[in-house]
Amino acid sequence: MIVITNPSAIANEISIIDSLFEEGLSLLHIRKPDFSEVETAKFIHQIKHKYRKNLVLHHHHQITADFGINRIHFSETERKK
């Protein structure tokens, strides 16, 4: 199963994410288009370290190495560039 985050912050989101991973979630796409780089980093920092290898980052690709994230997503618009 693959899940994409809600573009906006939602209540208890990090605990929901951790629960999904505990139940066998394969990949979580972090899609927070309105989050700044700092907000995105704070969001990722709250996710348990052992699950970060299962994250796909849609924005602020430059921070992937800081969190051990090996997957990035490019929108169709970005791919056309």
Side-chain angles (χ1 to χ4, degrees):
M1 175 171 45
I2 296 171
V3 173
I4 301 172
T5 62
N6 189 306
S8 305
I10 60 170
N12 303 314
E13 190 166 14
I14 298 302
S15 11
I16 293 168
I17 288 169
D18 286 341
S19 295
L20 287 169
F21 277 124
E22 288 168 13
E23 293 299 321
L25 177 65
S26 300
L27 292 175
L28 176 73
H29 284 247
I30 298 179
R31 184 178 172 272
K32 301 288 187 184
D34 295 330
F35 275 26
S36 68
E37 182 178 326
V38 171
E39 290 169 319
T40 301
K42 286 181 181 179
F43 182 84
I44 294 168
H45 187 70
Q46 295 176 75
I47 297 171
K48 290 182 181 176
H49 190 269
K50 64 182 178 180
Y51 299 132
R52 292 184 189 165
K53 67 184 183 300
N54 302 90
L55 300 178
V56 180
L57 198 56
H58 281 232
H59 303 91
H60 308 297
H61 299 146
Q62 64 277 11
I63 66 172
T64 56
D66 298 339
F67 292 98
I69 297 172
N70 297 317
R71 295 175 175 94
I72 57 176
H73 176 87
F74 290 99
S75 68
E76 186 175 345
T77 303
E78 292 172 326
R79 287 191 302 266
K80 287 180 180 180
K81 290 180 186 177

